[in-house]
Amino acid sequence: MSDTTENVWSPTLRWLHFGLALAVTLQLFLSLVMEEPGEAEGLETWAFMAHELFGLTAFALALLHWGWMLGGHDGGWRHLFPWDRQGWRAVWRDLSGLLRGCLPEGGPHPGLPGLVEGLGLVLVTLQGASGFAIFLLLPPEGGLPERFEFLSELHEVFGSGVWLYWFGHVGMALLHRLRGDAVVARISPFKSR
């Protein structure tokens, strides 16, 4: 049986999701403590270096996630972007269910959860790409060259979006858990099918 018919994520995707969630969470919270090189001292310097490490890890995992999904696994790109008629029907069905107090079922099928996951993956990828560019261009003493300062601004804008997405994603997972849904167990790499 395929993962799609069982409505269960593959082990590969569950590990990618876990790694991405952990790396993004760590780099978000490290961003609250860090300072740029040249301005940082002590803990702030270590937080900046750890933020770079977990940011690069998150970017790499996001790219692996794209590769996995675009390779047709776990519902493929149609799971992330249900742009066809069947996908939009699933999204509208999930939205109308939400209005009636029914949470959408997760899993590798088209609908609102997949669309939200796809938008989050786009956001994390853009955040990671801007961070990677800054990593390549930032001199050890700090301070991007003036012509590249727009990258820092983009990184901050995407970072705000990632924070909003993080709170929403964690909030929905908690809501599913409180309602007794098995969505969290199905995405966990530590639970057997």
Side-chain angles (χ1 to χ4, degrees):
M1 259 188 259
S2 76
D3 291 324
T4 302
T5 57
E6 291 179 19
N7 202 26
V8 175
W9 298 111
S10 70
T12 301
L13 188 108
R14 290 188 286 162
W15 280 107
L16 283 170
H17 184 269
F18 174 76
L20 191 57
L22 182 62
V24 167
T25 299
L26 289 171
Q27 71 88 22
L28 281 173
F29 282 95
L30 286 164
S31 73
L32 299 175
V33 179
M34 67 176 214
E35 290 290 334
E36 280 188 34
E39 299 174 16
E41 296 179 5
L43 178 63
E44 296 167 343
T45 302
W46 287 103
F48 181 79
M49 290 189 295
H51 177 79
E52 286 181 319
L53 174 67
F54 288 113
L56 292 171
T57 301
F59 184 48
L61 288 169
L63 294 177
L64 287 170
H65 197 301
W66 279 113
W68 184 255
M69 297 303 282
L70 293 175
H73 305 284
D74 292 293
W77 69 272
R78 283 195 170 103
H79 169 73
L80 299 175
F81 302 103
W83 302 130
D84 61 2
R85 180 172 285 179
Q86 178 186 2
W88 277 113
R89 278 192 205 128
V91 169
W92 288 118
R93 185 174 52 247
D94 290 345
L95 283 171
S96 65
L98 273 177
L99 294 174
R100 293 188 315 273
C102 299
L103 292 174
E105 182 180 356
H109 56 80
L112 185 60
L115 178 60
V116 170
E117 180 185 346
L119 295 174
L121 191 56
V122 166
L123 195 55
V124 168
T125 303
L126 291 172
Q127 173 76 352
S130 63
F132 183 62
I134 291 168
F135 175 78
L136 293 176
L137 297 168
L138 188 68
E141 64 276 0
L144 275 173
E146 191 173 317
R147 67 182 179 273
F148 296 118
E149 286 181 4
F150 74 95
L151 290 170
S152 290
E153 293 170 18
L154 282 176
H155 196 64
E156 286 183 33
V157 168
F158 294 139
S160 297
V162 172
W163 270 110
L164 289 171
Y165 183 83
W166 186 88
F167 278 110
H169 201 63
V170 169
M172 288 307 293
L174 289 173
L175 188 57
H176 272 286
R177 183 76 176 141
L178 290 172
R179 294 188 68 167
D181 297 339
V183 170
V184 175
R186 285 197 312 260
I187 194 67
S188 172
F190 302 106
K191 302 276 186 178
S192 62
R193 294 188 208 206

